[in-house]
Amino acid sequence: MSAFSDSARPGPKTTLYDHAVALARQYPDVPLPADGKPYPNADERDVSQLNDERSDSDGTLTSQLIDNYFATPTQHRDIAQLYRTVIEYNVPIHPSPAIVEAIGRADPDQVRQLGRHLARTSTDPEPTVLGIAILAEVGTAEDVPLIQTIGLLSNTFGPLSAKALARLPDATTNLIWLADRAAGWGRVYLVGAICRLGDPAAEPWLLRKPCDGDYLNGYFAHKVAAAAPFHEAIAQPDADEDLVDHTGTLLSTLVWSQGMSGTILHYDHSEQVLSDYLSHVTRLAPNLSRYGLLWTLARFLDGHADFSPPDWATLESLRTGYWLVTPDCTAVALRTDRSNKQRTRTDTRMGVIRSARARSKCRRQWRKSVIDHNQIHCPPILVRVLIPQGRSSNPLPH
């Protein structure tokens, strides 16, 4: 029998657990839209209005609350009072040494029961965070489904869920399951946890899945490159399409991840992987996504504001190879716009994209990729495709 009576429950509201379950049924096997926000009952309280004096960024207040709770004789413990108090705190969503130490001072079985209760029945984020923080220290394999379910709300609960799953059995499988259903900051912590495990069983996933194109991928791209044998996998003549495309995304991310993690210049196998990626991508059908990756990598090989060209023996041949294939990708644009059934007509011989829709998309990609037109060498075909005559105040060299 549970030690928590029904009267101790916070009320007949939707719990965050039930909220996550409902969303997971509606959006199976994918990240939840907007990380599952707004959370239930969000209109009843505004976390941003919490009293600064009650903010608990280092977990000190929460650790004291845990100590006081378990210092009280069992028959006099008031879970409802603990709940009311903790919702006034801005409980840290990352592991807190103070909270970890307080959990360690409590009886493992009793604190585990408290963690399960809070994670399963709380209708507010702060008690739920505390529940997952407890399970991250003393949870068992029995708690994996609960942790994964709450972890679907990954921007808030991803960091502690990652820590919790990493110390439990089948860590790689459980972390990958959640990472496939997480985005944003939650994905950053889950991918980082997978990389730290160093489990060879994670390599097929690390080679094909972590980088989803989000800006935050820059925080873990170098960790992924170091944790998985990209240089071996991409060198195989039968490398599959998912591996090739993810390798391109990873390399592109490493180009601009300076200040977030290691960059392409810190990756030991960059030169070889760039060469093998180019060999494979040329046999795949060109599209705008691949064009964007090739364009970013060609610019890197030319040198730009963040990097000087690397001192590689194959630099010139790589640069030539990347610029040669970039126009072919540009000329494709979109073969068919399925949303409105408009077919894009292209004339690859002249390098002119006649569809206004495709031309607009190419220009948007251009503006994202190019900062200073005078710092790169651009094939004339790209000038005709992406910048209409009379529109450029700073034309590229022909």
Side-chain angles (χ1 to χ4, degrees), residues 92-104 129-140 143-144 147-148 151 154 156-172 174-176 178-179 185-194 196-197:
I93 64 172
H94 301 91
S96 160
I99 294 176
V100 170
E101 291 172 5
I103 294 169
V129 169
L130 178 55
I132 297 298
I134 291 172
L135 295 180
E137 302 304 320
V138 296
T140 67
D143 300 306
V144 167
I147 295 166
Q148 287 180 320
S154 59
T156 301
F157 302 100
L160 287 169
S161 295
K163 180 183 181 183
L165 295 173
R167 56 170 290 276
L168 294 174
D170 298 320
T172 296
N174 294 330
L175 284 166
I176 287 176
L178 187 53
W185 281 111
R187 189 177 184 89
V188 170
Y189 289 96
L190 289 160
V191 173
I194 294 168
R196 286 191 297 274
L197 288 177

Side-chain angles (χ1 to χ4, degrees), residues 361-376:
K361 291 191 177 185
C362 280
R363 285 186 199 139
R364 287 198 298 272
Q365 183 66 52
W366 170 274
R367 289 165 186 152
K368 285 179 61 179
S369 300
V370 181
I371 298 175
D372 187 345
H373 295 171
N374 288 325
Q375 290 185 356
I376 66 170

Side-chain angles (χ1 to χ4, degrees), residues 97-161:
I99 294 176
V100 170
E101 291 172 5
I103 294 169
R105 289 190 288 269
D107 177 83
D109 291 334
Q110 293 183 18
V111 74
R112 184 183 303 113
Q113 190 176 20
L114 174 64
R116 289 171 176 171
H117 177 78
L118 292 175
R120 179 61 184 85
T121 67
S122 296
T123 62
D124 294 278
E126 285 75 20
T128 310
V129 169
L130 178 55
I132 297 298
I134 291 172
L135 295 180
E137 302 304 320
V138 296
T140 67
E142 179 184 345
D143 300 306
V144 167
L146 173 59
I147 295 166
Q148 287 180 320
T149 301
I150 296 295
L152 293 172
L153 309 174
S154 59
N155 275 4
T156 301
F157 302 100
L160 287 169
S161 295

Side-chain angles (χ1 to χ4, degrees), residues 207-255:
L207 289 169
R208 295 167 177 82
K209 292 292 189 70
C211 295
D212 59 0
D214 189 273
Y215 175 75
L216 295 177
N217 291 172
Y219 285 101
F220 60 69
H222 189 262
K223 297 175 183 177
V224 172
F230 283 89
H231 61 293
E232 297 175 1
I234 198 68
Q236 300 302 313
D238 58 347
D240 59 85
E241 188 169 339
D242 288 342
L243 170 62
V244 174
D245 283 339
H246 184 256
T247 300
T249 303
L250 178 77
L251 291 169
S252 177
T253 303
L254 287 171
V255 166

Side-chain angles (χ1 to χ4, degrees), residues 275-357:
S275 177
D276 290 333
Y277 168 69
L278 180 63
S279 298
H280 285 295
V281 79
T282 54
R283 65 177 169 79
L284 301 179
N287 57 37
L288 280 175
S289 175
R290 290 174 184 144
Y291 153 69
L293 300 177
L294 288 165
W295 177 262
T296 300
L297 296 171
R299 280 195 65 226
F300 159 71
L301 293 168
D302 262 354
H304 57 77
D306 292 332
F307 295 111
S308 298
D311 183 18
W312 294 339
T314 61
L315 175 63
E316 193 57 39
S317 62
L318 281 173
R319 177 190 289 142
T320 301
Y322 272 86
W323 279 123
L324 281 175
V325 300
T326 301
D328 293 335
C329 287
T330 305
V332 171
L334 293 176
R335 294 171 181 165
T336 303
D337 186 335
R338 294 174 180 170
S339 63
N340 59 15
K341 306 301 182 183
Q342 286 184 343
R343 188 173 298 275
T344 299
R345 295 179 296 131
T346 64
D347 182 345
T348 56
R349 181 175 61 85
M350 296 297 294
V352 178
I353 297 182
R354 291 181 174 140
S355 164
R357 182 180 296 275

